[in-house]
Amino acid sequence: MPLYQIISLISTWAIPVMIAFIPLYAYARKVPVYESFVDGAKEGFGTAIGIIPHLVGMMVAISVFRASGALDFLMGFISPLLRGLGVPPEVLPLGLLRPLTGTGSLAYATELIRVHGPDSLIGRIASTIQGSTDTTLYVLTVYFGAVGIRNGRYALKVGLFSDLVGFVAAIAICLLVFG
């Protein structure tokens, strides 16, 4: 069976199996599943209210980054290096936006898929980057701010490094499997 079919089979069944397994496992361990869910939902409302100021601050910072031309400057500087490595430079903004904003990176990935097609190499790389990286600065700003963590410098370094590894791995795996 080709690698592509194996990956497709795993991705088709991974989420349904997890959705079925987690409540069954909790039930077997005598955890009150529904009550635990309701209690978690109640806690979530307080957290949601607490993160609003941090969320607004992060959105303003992202808007300034994009409107200032800093994103375009970075793209122009790194694009020749990517071309030399055989990587489509169109995916670079996604790698730069993803640690900053989930919504902005999703909008950019959607645009790449619309222009190049979902089965194109660029579309597959964009989709894989979306699933292989996280919105590190968003997470640090919003969630660390909500729980009162003031010194997140090590978390920032590790988070951005893991985003870089996810970005490079997504490209390498897509080039290996689809390229």
Side-chain angles (χ1 to χ4, degrees):
M1 182 179 289
L3 185 58
Y4 177 74
Q5 288 179 335
I6 293 169
I7 292 171
S8 293
L9 183 65
I10 291 170
S11 66
T12 299
W13 285 100
I15 292 177
V17 167
M18 284 177 35
I19 289 173
F21 174 76
I22 292 171
L24 290 173
Y25 180 76
Y27 179 76
R29 306 261 306 160
K30 308 275 191 250
V31 173
V33 177
Y34 182 74
E35 291 80 7
S36 297
F37 173 78
V38 170
D39 290 342
K42 284 179 188 175
E43 274 185 41
F45 282 116
T47 302
I49 298 300
I51 67 173
I52 289 174
H54 304 284
L55 182 62
V56 170
M58 189 66 196
M59 294 300 184
V60 169
I62 292 165
S63 296
V64 168
F65 178 73
R66 293 181 75 189
S68 70
L71 177 63
D72 295 331
F73 174 76
L74 284 172
M75 284 178 44
F77 183 71
I78 299 173
S79 289
L81 175 66
L82 288 178
R83 278 191 196 94
L85 296 172
V87 176
E90 293 88 351
V91 300
L92 176 62
L94 185 58
L96 297 173
L97 285 173
R98 184 69 175 145
L100 298 173
T101 169
T103 305
S105 65
L106 181 61
Y108 188 78
T110 302
E111 182 65 17
L112 285 175
I113 291 169
R114 187 188 66 73
V115 170
H116 299 282
D119 292 327
S120 68
L121 181 61
I122 291 173
R124 288 177 172 165
I125 290 173
S127 299
T128 307
I129 290 170
Q130 281 289 109
S132 302
T133 57
D134 200 359
T135 53
T136 300
L137 297 176
Y138 174 86
V139 169
L140 292 178
T141 301
V142 174
Y143 296 112
F144 277 28
V147 296
I149 296 173
R150 298 289 176 231
N151 188 0
R153 65 182 170 171
Y154 296 115
L156 177 64
K157 291 174 187 175
V158 170
L160 290 176
F161 181 71
S162 67
D163 284 333
L164 177 63
V165 169
F167 180 73
V168 170
I171 292 170
I173 290 170
C174 284
L175 290 173
L176 179 69
V177 174
F178 305 113

